[in-house]
Amino acid sequence: MARTIGSYGPKTMEAIRKAGLRLIFEHGYSAMSLRQLAAAVGIQAGSLYNHISTKQELLFDLVQDHINELLRQLDLALLGKQRPAEKLSAFVAFHVTYHMTKKREVFIANSELRSLEPKNYDAIVKLRGAYERRLAEILAEGVSEGVFEVVDIQVATFAILALLTGICTWYRPGGRLTREAIIAAHEKLVLSSVTPGGTASPARTNPARTTPVRKRSRPARSVAPGQQRD
Amino acid sequence: MARTIGSYGPKTMEAIRKAGLRLIFEHGYSAMSLRQLAAAVGIQAGSLYNHISTKQELLFDLVQDHINELLRQLDLALLGKQRPAEKLSAFVAFHVTYHMTKKREVFIANSELRSLEPKNYDAIVKLRGAYERRLAEILAEGVSEGVFEVVDIQVATFAILALLTGICTWYRPGGRLTREAIIAAHEKLVLSSVTPGGTASPARTNPARTTPVRKRSRPARSVAPGQQRD
Amino acid sequence: MARTIGSYGPKTMEAIRKAGLRLIFEHGYSAMSLRQLAAAVGIQAGSLYNHISTKQELLFDLVQDHINELLRQLDLALLGKQRPAEKLSAFVAFHVTYHMTKKREVFIANSELRSLEPKNYDAIVKLRGAYERRLAEILAEGVSEGVFEVVDIQVATFAILALLTGICTWYRPGGRLTREAIIAAHEKLVLSSVTPGGTASPARTNPARTTPVRKRSRPARSVAPGQQRD
Amino acid sequence: MARTIGSYGPKTMEAIRKAGLRLIFEHGYSAMSLRQLAAAVGIQAGSLYNHISTKQELLFDLVQDHINELLRQLDLALLGKQRPAEKLSAFVAFHVTYHMTKKREVFIANSELRSLEPKNYDAIVKLRGAYERRLAEILAEGVSEGVFEVVDIQVATFAILALLTGICTWYRPGGRLTREAIIAAHEKLVLSSVTPGGTASPARTNPARTTPVRKRSRPARSVAPGQQRD
DNA sequence: AATGAATGAGATTTCATTCAT
DNA sequence: AATGAATGAAATCTCATTCAT
């Protein structure tokens, strides 16, 4: 049979990316077959190869494009913000908004890192590091100015990112809350979480750790998002 | 010919579960092949079927046993705690500790729900709901006593769980921080996050939502942890 | 790598059907492996799935197409025949001829019904019933006109069909007898078998059968050709 | 778990044979797994090997014992019969009765010959030949005495056997007809079928067959019951 | 740029059979 | 005589990928 409507010409690549995002989001990268993907696009499996080079490259492109866009927009969102609290607010608002808009991209970029081949994995983790560093720097600045208090900056960075990223596992447009309410809820949680006060004392580092850090027993690229890099 | 070398006897099942946990954690359920699993155990692929009935059942058992244990231990940890703040502290300490001890089980139970067949998925989601409810009730109690302040209890529940569960993606024993420090860091973040004060106003619900809630377009069982159920 | 040698193009499906017929005839459906079949066709086992959807579907299609063709040709053969004896002669001649020509299809359609899944089984048995009814009606007509005599029409129908169908277990082209001789031999047997005369009395029905008919203890779809339906 | 009731001691072998008969009758030899068989008996698959040597031997024993018994009883049934018609009546009555009583054994012995390994196949076909010869001799005797008329003795032998053997595909105790009625119905059909009269002329043999008989293209042991041996 | 048919590897699962206990 | 756990082969079927058309 000839090709079906909706799959013709230069729009096919875009249809592949879109269907790929959805299918990987729903089933995971290795559970998604290229036949499934092709069917969703309305073409035969072999025809995919007119547009992608391999399944792996499709994943890599989706993830890479997402992270680049994320970084680009984050920098726009932080533009002109001065004080740490202001920056943190902007970070939260941006992150939440972005995750509500692009929950599939975000989810995949977090959960399918382990499906990337080593070279691709390294490239993505490097990009992701840049994003995390933005938050870590905001926290560090706030702590050094005395407006934030955390037990450990690294832990707080990971924890806040996890908190914010959690959205894409449950958010659905048209749910009970408005976007603004969801953003507000997260701003409250995050800003309060680093507010000074309470009984917390600074973290003690591990005295047991006198031997050199062991090589990890599992492949460096196994799980997302924050590999223990401290 | 009968068996020559390799694992034997009643320990095999335990070895399968252990290797299964590790491999699913590292590669994901559908990326783990039973050949791999058998090799890790030291038997032939077909021999797995003396111990499991299907690959799917293995996943289900691992997840179910984990959640049952999690619930059981949580209730022990909360025993005798009275005030909401006390309960929340205990919840955080328990959750973090458990996640550091059993990070693989926890990670799988969160990330592989979508790999469960509908019947199994439903059973697990039900169990998980019981766990989430424990936290939601603590928050609700604190809010009604005026000791906690959140914009929205549901959102706060999901956010705190996401924050806490994030640990199992980066924690590794023997890292820079002691367990106690990690627990303390999370207690600070979580307890502060719900501390009254700040400018937050109560969540406005979505005025746009006048039509009945649509059926979701993707399978009900796709992603973890908190399906939009509000 | 793509294909190198072997069958190609639109002829493959026909080759699969032909080889499938032969292999099922020789070894039986469940004893025929798809590897064998693929080897007979000259392709890889997996390549079969470009042409068939499952092994079961292949069997079903072979059987269904055969029975449809059988019915179609039978009706042609009976066209214009008036008297019962004439009809019975035509039936025998047609049946024997067809079974000599398509002995594999015939044999499979009779012996592999039990290998059909329930839904497929039901469909085929229904078609087969139509064929059997043609014969039963000829006999009934002859009996009511007094030109045939049988003890029981149902039993005679089954018996004559069994007699005629037996051919496909021993016929081989180029054997000792001409086709015409084989047909003549069967016409003599069948026509004589229902000729009036002899000592036979009408069948007594079973007096022991006072209780309702029990459900059969084995699956309704086990053996061919005539399930006890009286 | 220990062994279940009904499977203990010297009765196990009998249970295996009985369950084996049923399962092969219902599903066919190669579709019956030894695990199924063991389950039907109430033991583990491995335990079968305390009683049988291989799956193939089980089939062979079932078939061989059946045919031996068949021959033995046939000779008893023919004892003292003098005239051909008397003999043929006795043959039919015996055959039908036996097939109603032992329809599973009969069916298997006819349909699973192709599942026998060459050596076993040869042994069984030899035995079966003895049985067929009994009928062929009765017919030949009747023909030479002028009380029977057939176009071809070989064809008539096969056809009558097929007719009679068909019973085991539809007979079920407690059906509409009494055993006696079924026997009577078959006696009428068979005796009439060889009654002299009618227009049939003796079979012409195949003039085309001038070349030596080709070797059969398929394995000598493929199908039942009457290989073309003329 | 799409199809349809192919490949070779590999997926999960079942099989007959073995044997220490 | 039974069990339970093992083997190695093979079952059906799916996969990513290739390529002549």
Side-chain angles (χ1 to χ4, degrees):
Chain A
M1 205 191 314
R3 66 194 103 77
T4 325
I5 38 165
S7 65
Y8 185 53
K11 286 176 194 152
T12 304
M13 184 64 217
E14 201 40 48
I16 291 172
R17 292 175 62 98
K18 202 167 167 185
L21 270 174
R22 182 175 58 81
L23 290 168
I24 298 174
F25 176 70
E26 289 176 14
H27 305 104
Y29 170 75
S30 59
M32 174 196 75
S33 82
L34 291 188
R35 278 170 166 78
Q36 259 184 296
L37 176 57
V41 173
I43 59 178
Q44 296 295 314
S47 307
L48 289 172
Y49 287 83
N50 290 318
H51 305 274
I52 66 173
S53 58
T54 63
K55 189 187 179 191
Q56 171 72 202
E57 279 298 309
L58 173 61
L59 174 62
F60 179 61
D61 287 350
L62 288 173
V63 172
Q64 188 178 43
D65 291 354
H66 157 67
I67 301 209
N68 281 332
E69 183 65 10
L70 184 69
L71 264 173
R72 200 181 62 80
Q73 291 202 22
L74 172 62
D75 287 340
L76 284 178
L78 291 178
L79 216 63
K81 301 297 180 295
Q82 302 295 343
R83 283 168 304 122
E86 212 181 0
K87 289 183 184 170
L88 187 54
S89 264
F91 184 95
V92 170
F94 162 73
H95 192 104
V96 170
T97 304
Y98 195 90
H99 281 52
M100 288 190 297
T101 316
K102 308 260 187 184
K103 69 170 178 170
R104 288 169 182 165
E105 287 85 340
V106 167
F107 182 80
I108 291 170
N110 279 306
S111 64
E112 294 295 355
L113 290 198
R114 65 178 164 194
S115 301
L116 290 169
E117 287 166 3
K119 202 184 47 150
N120 292 337
Y121 177 83
D122 292 343
I124 295 300
V125 165
K126 206 167 154 187
L127 283 174
R128 187 188 58 179
Y131 188 78
E132 290 169 0
R133 227 168 298 121
R134 299 283 198 285
L135 175 56
E137 281 161 6
I138 294 170
L139 293 181
E141 192 183 351
V143 166
S144 78
E145 291 187 14
V147 298
F148 293 163
E149 177 183 303
V150 299
V151 173
D152 184 87
I153 287 179
Q154 183 73 284
V155 170
T157 302
F158 288 164
I160 290 171
L161 283 172
L163 180 157
L164 292 173
T165 301
I167 288 176
C168 62
T169 65
W170 59 265
Y171 175 75
R172 195 166 42 92
R176 181 173 51 90
L177 300 171
T178 61
R179 288 185 171 224
E180 291 72 27
I182 292 172
I183 294 171
H186 285 86
E187 281 186 333
K188 153 64 181 143
L189 287 163
V190 172
L191 286 166
S192 286
S193 74
V194 295
T195 296
T199 59
S201 50
R204 267 175 309 137
T205 52
N206 196 344
R209 182 164 161 182
T210 56
T211 52
V213 177
R214 289 159 306 143
K215 192 88 173 69
R216 273 188 292 183
S217 66
R218 63 191 161 76
R221 61 203 184 72
S222 58
V223 282
Q227 300 298 335
Q228 176 115 1
R229 285 157 300 179
D230 57 346
Chain B
M1 206 189 312
R3 83 194 91 83
T4 50
I5 56 166
S7 180
Y8 180 53
K11 285 176 200 151
T12 305
M13 184 64 217
E14 202 39 51
I16 290 171
R17 291 174 63 96
K18 203 167 165 184
L21 268 176
R22 182 174 58 80
L23 290 169
I24 297 173
F25 177 70
E26 288 176 15
H27 305 102
Y29 170 77
S30 57
M32 173 195 76
S33 85
L34 292 185
R35 290 225 238 272
Q36 263 184 295
L37 177 57
V41 173
I43 59 179
Q44 297 293 313
S47 305
L48 289 171
Y49 287 81
N50 290 318
H51 305 275
I52 66 174
S53 56
T54 63
K55 189 187 179 190
Q56 170 74 199
E57 277 300 306
L58 174 61
L59 175 63
F60 179 62
D61 287 349
L62 289 174
V63 172
Q64 188 178 43
D65 292 354
H66 156 67
I67 301 208
N68 281 332
E69 183 65 11
L70 183 70
L71 264 173
R72 203 182 60 80
Q73 291 203 22
L74 171 62
D75 287 340
L76 284 178
L78 291 177
L79 217 63
K81 300 298 182 290
Q82 304 293 346
R83 286 168 303 123
E86 212 180 0
K87 288 183 185 171
L88 188 54
S89 266
F91 184 95
V92 171
F94 162 74
H95 192 104
V96 171
T97 304
Y98 194 91
H99 281 52
M100 290 190 296
T101 315
K102 307 261 188 183
K103 69 169 176 170
R104 287 169 183 166
E105 286 88 340
V106 167
F107 181 79
I108 291 171
N110 279 306
S111 63
E112 295 293 356
L113 289 199
R114 67 177 163 194
S115 301
L116 290 170
E117 289 165 2
K119 204 183 48 150
N120 293 335
Y121 177 83
D122 291 343
I124 295 301
V125 165
K126 206 168 156 187
L127 283 174
R128 188 189 57 178
Y131 188 79
E132 291 170 0
R133 226 169 299 122
R134 299 282 198 287
L135 174 57
E137 283 162 5
I138 294 171
L139 294 181
E141 192 183 352
V143 166
S144 79
E145 292 187 13
V147 297
F148 293 162
E149 178 184 300
V150 299
V151 173
D152 185 87
I153 287 180
Q154 184 74 283
V155 170
T157 302
F158 289 164
I160 290 172
L161 282 172
L163 179 158
L164 291 173
T165 301
I167 288 177
C168 62
T169 65
W170 59 264
Y171 174 75
R172 196 165 38 92
R176 181 171 52 88
L177 301 171
T178 62
R179 289 182 169 222
E180 291 73 27
I182 293 172
I183 294 170
H186 285 86
E187 282 186 333
K188 153 65 181 137
L189 287 164
V190 172
L191 285 166
S192 287
S193 75
V194 295
T195 296
T199 59
S201 51
R204 264 175 309 137
T205 53
N206 197 345
R209 182 166 160 182
T210 56
T211 52
V213 178
R214 289 158 304 142
K215 196 85 175 69
R216 269 189 294 186
S217 66
R218 66 190 159 77
R221 58 203 188 71
S222 58
V223 281
Q227 300 297 336
Q228 177 113 359
R229 286 157 300 180
D230 56 349
Chain C
M1 204 191 313
R3 79 193 96 83
T4 49
I5 55 166
S7 180
Y8 180 54
K11 286 178 200 148
T12 305
M13 184 64 217
E14 202 39 50
I16 290 171
R17 291 174 64 98
K18 202 167 166 184
L21 268 176
R22 183 175 56 82
L23 290 169
I24 297 175
F25 176 71
E26 289 176 13
H27 305 102
Y29 171 75
S30 58
M32 174 195 75
S33 85
L34 293 184
R35 291 226 240 270
Q36 263 182 293
L37 176 57
V41 173
I43 58 178
Q44 296 294 313
S47 305
L48 290 172
Y49 287 83
N50 289 319
H51 306 274
I52 66 173
S53 58
T54 62
K55 189 187 178 190
Q56 169 73 202
E57 278 299 308
L58 173 60
L59 175 62
F60 179 62
D61 287 349
L62 289 174
V63 172
Q64 189 178 43
D65 292 354
H66 157 66
I67 301 209
N68 281 331
E69 184 64 11
L70 183 69
L71 265 173
R72 202 181 61 80
Q73 293 203 21
L74 171 62
D75 287 338
L76 285 179
L78 292 178
L79 218 63
K81 301 297 180 291
Q82 303 293 344
R83 285 169 302 123
E86 211 180 0
K87 287 184 186 171
L88 187 55
S89 264
F91 185 94
V92 171
F94 163 73
H95 192 104
V96 171
T97 304
Y98 195 90
H99 282 51
M100 290 190 296
T101 316
K102 307 261 188 184
K103 69 170 177 171
R104 287 169 183 166
E105 287 86 339
V106 168
F107 182 79
I108 291 171
N110 279 306
S111 63
E112 294 295 355
L113 288 198
R114 65 175 166 199
S115 301
L116 290 170
E117 288 166 3
K119 205 183 45 149
N120 293 336
Y121 177 83
D122 292 343
I124 295 301
V125 165
K126 206 167 155 187
L127 283 175
R128 188 190 55 179
Y131 189 78
E132 292 170 359
R133 227 169 298 123
R134 299 282 197 288
L135 175 56
E137 283 162 6
I138 294 171
L139 294 181
E141 193 183 351
V143 167
S144 77
E145 293 188 12
V147 298
F148 293 162
E149 176 183 300
V150 300
V151 174
D152 186 88
I153 287 182
Q154 183 75 282
V155 169
T157 303
F158 289 165
I160 290 173
L161 283 172
L163 181 157
L164 292 173
T165 301
I167 288 178
C168 63
T169 65
W170 60 263
Y171 174 75
R172 198 165 39 92
R176 180 172 52 89
L177 300 171
T178 61
R179 289 185 171 221
E180 291 72 27
I182 293 172
I183 294 171
H186 285 86
E187 282 186 333
K188 151 67 180 137
L189 287 163
V190 172
L191 286 166
S192 286
S193 75
V194 295
T195 296
T199 59
S201 51
R204 266 176 310 139
T205 53
N206 196 346
R209 184 165 159 181
T210 57
T211 52
V213 178
R214 288 158 308 138
K215 194 90 174 67
R216 270 188 295 185
S217 66
R218 66 191 161 76
R221 59 203 188 72
S222 57
V223 281
Q227 300 299 333
Q228 176 115 2
R229 285 157 301 180
D230 56 350
Chain D
M1 205 192 311
R3 64 193 103 78
T4 326
I5 39 165
S7 67
Y8 184 51
K11 286 176 195 151
T12 305
M13 184 62 216
E14 201 39 49
I16 290 172
R17 292 174 63 97
K18 203 168 165 184
L21 269 175
R22 183 175 56 83
L23 290 169
I24 297 174
F25 176 71
E26 289 175 14
H27 305 104
Y29 171 76
S30 60
M32 173 195 74
S33 83
L34 291 187
R35 278 169 167 79
Q36 259 184 297
L37 176 57
V41 173
I43 59 178
Q44 295 296 313
S47 307
L48 289 172
Y49 286 83
N50 290 317
H51 304 274
I52 67 173
S53 58
T54 65
K55 190 187 177 189
Q56 170 73 202
E57 280 299 309
L58 174 61
L59 174 62
F60 179 61
D61 287 350
L62 289 173
V63 172
Q64 188 178 42
D65 292 355
H66 157 67
I67 300 209
N68 281 331
E69 183 66 9
L70 184 69
L71 265 174
R72 201 182 61 80
Q73 293 202 25
L74 172 63
D75 287 340
L76 284 178
L78 291 178
L79 217 63
K81 301 297 182 293
Q82 302 295 341
R83 285 170 300 123
E86 209 181 1
K87 287 184 185 170
L88 186 55
S89 265
F91 184 94
V92 171
F94 163 72
H95 193 103
V96 171
T97 304
Y98 195 91
H99 281 51
M100 289 191 295
T101 316
K102 306 261 188 185
K103 69 169 177 171
R104 287 170 183 165
E105 287 86 339
V106 167
F107 182 80
I108 291 171
N110 279 306
S111 64
E112 294 295 355
L113 289 198
R114 64 177 164 197
S115 302
L116 290 169
E117 289 166 1
K119 201 183 47 147
N120 293 335
Y121 177 83
D122 292 343
I124 295 300
V125 165
K126 207 168 154 187
L127 283 174
R128 188 189 56 179
Y131 188 80
E132 291 169 0
R133 226 168 300 122
R134 298 283 197 288
L135 176 57
E137 283 161 5
I138 294 171
L139 294 181
E141 193 183 349
V143 167
S144 77
E145 294 188 11
V147 296
F148 294 163
E149 177 183 303
V150 300
V151 173
D152 185 87
I153 288 182
Q154 183 74 284
V155 170
T157 302
F158 288 164
I160 291 172
L161 283 172
L163 180 157
L164 292 173
T165 301
I167 288 179
C168 62
T169 65
W170 60 263
Y171 174 74
R172 193 166 41 92
R176 180 172 53 88
L177 300 171
T178 61
R179 289 183 168 224
E180 291 71 28
I182 293 173
I183 294 171
H186 285 86
E187 282 186 334
K188 153 67 180 138
L189 286 163
V190 172
L191 285 167
S192 286
S193 75
V194 295
T195 295
T199 60
S201 51
R204 267 177 307 139
T205 53
N206 196 344
R209 185 166 159 182
T210 56
T211 52
V213 178
R214 288 158 305 142
K215 192 89 175 69
R216 270 189 293 185
S217 66
R218 64 193 160 75
R221 59 202 187 73
S222 58
V223 282
Q227 301 299 333
Q228 175 112 1
R229 285 157 302 178
D230 56 349

